[in-house]
Amino acid sequence: AAKAGKSSRKDNHLRPPKAISAHPYRCRPNSGGKIRKNFAPFQQPANAYVNLGLVDLSMNRGDEAAQNFRRAIEIDPHSISAFSGLATYFRLQNRAPDSLQILQKGIEANPDRVELQIARADVLYAAQKKEEAAASLKEFLDRHPKSTDGALAIGDFYTQRGDGEAAAAVYRVGMKADPKNVPLRERLVECYTDSGKLTEAEALIAEIIRLRPKDAVAGIARARIRLAEHKPEEAVEILRQETRDAPDMWQGHFFLAVAYRQTQQVGQAKGELQEALRISPNALLVRRAMTELSLQTGDVGVARETAERTVQLYPASPHDHVLLGTVMLRQGQVPAARDQFEAARQLAPGDPEPALSLGMAAVAERKWTEAEQQFEGVLKLNPRSGTALGALADLWFATGQVQKGIARVTQQVTAYPDDAGPHFILASLYAAAGRLSDAKDQFGRAIQLNPQLVQAYTRLADLHQRLGEIDAALARYEQALAMEPKSVLLHSIVADLYSRKGDIAKARKHYEQALTADPSFAPAANNLAWLELQSNGNLDIALSWAQKAKELLPDSTATTDTLAWVEYKKGLVSTAIPLLKECVQKAPQSAVYQYHLGMALAASGTAAEAKAHLTTALRLKLDQPESEDARRALSTLN
């Protein structure tokens, strides 16, 4: 039912099909209210065997599953789920021809149903027979030009495979048959959003709202546009309202989690994913996102549990086998990970993702030759795979074959001169080989080809910094910050460079912005305290920042030293000395820590100890101007 005037439609194409009940029989009470011992089957007995088959599949009892699916087909030759289940069994057995054959029989028995057409196209896609799949789907649309359900399903098929152009074309065909069909318009909005056609998407949303003034899906789509425009804060506000007005739409919670991730609010993102899973436990997009977020935050156990359940729910999904294998690889269970990657390759022999993952498994086992073969295999399947080329470059660097890497990546640059990825990888290899001028040229070319490639700006800035070109480095880092204004790391790097230039005001501004983005980022608090000291600023402010840094990183010698030195400057020598002794004990070869302890001891009147530590600091090559201060203090003590 609609809530607060919102759309009551919940199941757009992001929702996976509902799972069939796992209980093949139901109990029927007798006249006395007791449960009869003999169970009566469902009104459609074929469903009972389908359910048993699905349970068998989830428990890896393939042969039993096949028998139950065949029995269901005997009982009901038109059972879509029975044909689909048997085809899935064949796919899991790496028997794609048998899967296609059974699907074709199902299609012949159900010529007006699109579900089996989709399943057949999926098998053909996995076998790299995309043209044949597209032709069969087009033929179905040609025979059913007014089937909006067919257009929705086929458009969704293309969307889920990343072919937004084909999906949009199919949705437009459906809209010709039914110009006011809101679900088709909503799908088309998503296609336009994903492809960057934001003006077209906004126009369609306006039409949807005209037809349904308080449509929740339209609101979610508008938030997705804000995400595409790199305005996650605005998306958060829209989605908070949508989830309040339509709390039972899992899509709203899912995209709110996406927005929270973009604003670095990881805890809130996980909470929204949990809510989406509560509403729709089998939603594939949500399950994948939960696995990936759990991996990112180090909750490997949660990631493993989620991924394993996803594979049980969707055993014919190659990507989810890869995701489970990736979790296992993170846990160091390489053989188990390989099994999942191999299962994915059997399901989708022409998909480069399993081969890439097998290459990563080989790297984990230091099987360099096998890894190289797998990555090169990926490039044969997808010649523009930047991930595979980057993995090869990492491999050659790790094995001391940088020149070989340069030669191979140069071939890729020659083959695809307008692709930013190979230029970036070649630049990285040049930098590793010490050819900094060539590296700068290639990073610059990568930026020309893809001005949004943030990492190219930061790597180029790093090269400028290594060459002592501080102003050029700052310019590149500032460009990167314009694209990632909440990057704590970038703000800190820029602040450090401004500090080196003596521009304390700008350094302070960027450290503060880093803390605004992440209040728990201790290095920024520590450096703000140090800036106050270096600029003869307010010691009370310096103490506040130093105490905050110490609270955030209590075991850090750097934060301990900063706090102690601020206390020394404020005349709190008795509290500073124990902290400085702790620093020297942990890092006795630090000239700075020896110097700080020596100065504090001198101020306390402990001359012999002070002389020992100041002498040690000078022996350890204490930098200017601290070395001059140490000599003056020694002369006074002497």
Side-chain angles (χ1 to χ4, degrees):
K3 290 197 175 186
K6 292 285 181 178
S7 167
S8 62
R9 189 181 68 81
K10 302 178 192 175
D11 53 335
N12 71 11
H13 81 285
L14 297 175
R15 178 187 292 276
K18 291 182 179 178
I20 300 173
S21 168
H23 303 287
Y25 300 101
R26 63 182 177 183
C27 300
R28 181 180 296 172
N30 61 16
S31 58
K34 297 180 179 179
I35 303 299
R36 295 172 59 181
K37 292 183 179 179
N38 295 324
F39 294 151
F42 280 115
Q43 293 178 351
Q44 294 181 335
N47 284 349
Y49 289 98
V50 170
N51 292 338
L52 283 172
L54 291 171
V55 172
D56 288 330
L57 271 186
S58 71
M59 300 182 71
N60 296 318
R61 298 196 298 253
D63 293 341
E64 292 91 335
Q67 291 174 6
N68 282 310
F69 291 136
R70 287 192 176 100
R71 181 61 180 144
I73 292 170
E74 290 175 5
I75 295 171
D76 180 6
H78 299 283
S79 173
I80 300 292
S81 54
F83 282 109
S84 177
L86 187 54
T88 297
Y89 160 75
F90 285 133
R91 286 193 69 183
L92 291 172
Q93 295 293 313
N94 198 26
R95 295 164 59 182
D98 291 333
S99 182
L100 289 170
Q101 184 180 35
I102 197 65
L103 287 169
Q104 186 58 42
K105 288 182 180 179
I107 290 169
E108 291 169 0
N110 301 276
D112 297 328
R113 297 289 295 274
V114 72
E115 295 95 326
L116 296 178
Q117 295 278 0
I118 295 292
R120 182 175 181 273
D122 189 36
V123 178
L124 291 170
Y125 250 66
Q128 295 296 295
K129 297 181 179 179
K130 297 182 180 181
E131 294 79 7
E132 184 177 344
S136 66
L137 294 175
K138 182 179 183 301
E139 191 271 337
F140 179 88
L141 281 176
D142 290 343
R143 284 191 291 107
H144 303 86
K146 294 185 179 181
S147 172
T148 54
D149 288 342
L152 283 168
I154 293 172
D156 292 352
F157 171 84
Y158 286 122
T159 295
Q160 291 161 7
R161 280 147 192 83
D163 193 344
E165 185 176 347
V170 173
Y171 294 142
R172 285 192 287 264
V173 168
M175 286 175 62
K176 287 181 180 178
D178 184 0
K180 294 185 178 181
N181 187 290
V182 172
L184 282 168
R185 289 174 182 270
E186 291 169 345
R187 305 293 210 282
L188 197 52
V189 166
E190 292 177 5
C191 286
Y192 286 151
T193 302
D194 291 339
S195 62
K197 298 179 179 178
L198 304 185
T199 302
E200 293 90 334
E202 288 275 20
L204 270 178
I205 289 173
E207 292 180 20
I208 293 169
I209 292 175
R210 181 174 55 81
L211 294 170
R212 292 183 180 176
K214 295 184 178 180
D215 186 87
V217 177
I220 293 169
R222 177 161 286 156
R224 290 191 65 193
I225 291 175
R226 299 290 90 80
L227 289 172
E229 293 173 335
H230 305 290
K231 299 175 181 177
E233 292 85 359
E234 293 183 23
V236 166
E237 291 305 312
I238 294 170
L239 289 164
R240 279 176 175 166
Q241 184 63 50
E242 295 299 338
T243 52
R244 282 194 292 268
D245 292 344
D248 57 346
M249 284 192 67
W250 68 263
Q251 295 91 338
H253 294 283
F254 170 75
F255 284 109
L256 181 52
V258 173
Y260 276 138
R261 285 189 70 177
Q262 289 193 16
T263 56
Q264 309 300 318
Q265 299 180 73
V266 176
Q268 291 90 331
K270 184 168 286 189
E272 292 300 325
L273 290 177
Q274 289 169 341
E275 181 63 14
L277 282 175
R278 185 192 65 78
I279 296 166
S280 181
N282 297 346
L284 185 55
L285 280 179
V286 185
R287 300 196 66 82
R288 287 175 177 172
M290 180 61 84
T291 300
E292 292 165 357
L293 182 59
S294 298
L295 268 181
Q296 175 192 334
T297 56
D299 296 333
V300 184
V302 173
R304 175 72 173 264
E305 180 183 350
T306 308
E308 285 180 334
R309 178 58 181 154
T310 305
V311 167
Q312 289 177 352
L313 290 168
Y314 303 98
S317 169
H319 178 75
D320 291 291
H321 283 283
V322 168
L323 194 53
L324 175 56
T326 302
V327 176
M328 292 172 168
L329 202 59
R330 177 75 67 85
Q331 293 177 313
Q333 300 176 8
V334 182
R338 279 183 175 275
D339 289 343
Q340 293 299 323
F341 299 149
E342 288 290 357
R345 182 154 64 178
Q346 289 178 6
L347 287 166
D351 187 342
E353 187 181 30
L356 181 66
S357 299
L358 283 165
M360 295 300 183
V363 168
E365 295 179 311
R366 303 179 70 83
K367 296 179 178 178
W368 308 119
T369 302
E370 179 190 342
E372 184 172 342
Q373 290 171 349
Q374 293 287 0
F375 295 143
E376 288 288 5
V378 173
L379 287 169
K380 287 180 181 178
L381 293 169
N382 179 11
R384 290 179 178 266
S385 173
T387 305
L389 190 65
L392 276 170
D394 290 341
L395 185 154
W396 289 318
F397 176 78
T399 56
Q401 303 179 80
V402 174
Q403 295 305 320
K404 178 179 179 180
I406 289 173
R408 176 65 180 85
V409 179
T410 299
Q411 293 177 4
Q412 197 80 359
V413 167
T414 303
Y416 304 102
D418 295 330
D419 190 344
H423 288 280
F424 177 84
I425 295 168
L426 182 57
S428 300
L429 288 170
Y430 277 144
R435 296 169 59 176
L436 303 188
S437 178
D438 291 331
K440 286 169 62 176
D441 291 342
Q442 290 298 323
F443 281 133
R445 180 59 178 152
I447 290 170
Q448 289 177 351
L449 293 169
N450 182 4
Q452 302 303 312
L453 190 58
V454 175
Q455 198 174 1
Y457 291 95
T458 59
R459 293 294 302 275
L460 183 53
D462 179 63
L463 283 181
H464 285 303
Q465 194 172 344
R466 288 167 61 183
L467 292 168
E469 300 165 357
I470 303 302
D471 289 335
L474 274 170
R476 291 300 187 182
Y477 280 129
E478 295 277 15
Q479 288 176 308
L481 263 177
M483 289 180 278
E484 293 189 359
K486 291 185 177 296
S487 171
V488 173
L489 180 60
L490 285 175
H491 278 297
S492 296
I493 293 172
V494 170
D496 289 344
L497 289 177
Y498 276 124
S499 180
R500 286 174 58 183
K501 282 172 60 70
D503 193 333
I504 303 302
K506 287 185 178 178
R508 182 183 290 114
K509 181 190 77 171
H510 283 285
Y511 282 134
E512 289 173 346
Q513 287 178 332
L515 280 169
T516 299
D518 182 4
S520 66
F521 188 61
N526 184 73
N527 290 343
L528 278 167
W530 197 253
L531 279 181
E532 290 294 329
L533 286 176
Q534 297 297 94
S535 60
N536 296 316
N538 189 312
L539 289 179
D540 290 328
I541 293 175
L543 182 61
S544 175
W545 285 122
Q547 288 171 334
K548 179 180 178 65
K550 178 66 173 173
E551 289 171 6
L552 292 169
L553 282 178
D555 297 326
S556 165
T557 52
T559 58
T560 301
D561 174 69
T562 300
L563 176 58
W565 196 237
V566 174
E567 290 175 340
Y568 163 78
K569 290 289 188 178
K570 282 180 63 67
L572 305 173
V573 177
S574 61
T575 57
I577 288 175
L579 296 176
L580 290 168
K581 285 184 175 180
E582 176 188 329
C583 293
V584 168
Q585 185 178 9
K586 288 182 178 180
Q589 298 303 308
S590 168
V592 172
Y593 297 162
Q594 294 279 359
Y595 162 68
H596 285 173
L597 179 55
M599 295 297 286
L601 289 168
S604 71
T606 314
E609 283 189 63
K611 288 169 62 177
H613 288 288
L614 290 172
T615 302
T616 301
L618 290 171
R619 179 174 55 80
L620 292 171
K621 308 298 185 186
L622 184 66
D623 291 334
Q624 292 280 9
E626 289 85 354
S627 60
E628 288 301 319
D629 290 341
R631 289 189 177 92
R632 279 194 295 269
L634 278 172
S635 65
T636 302
L637 291 170
N638 289 331

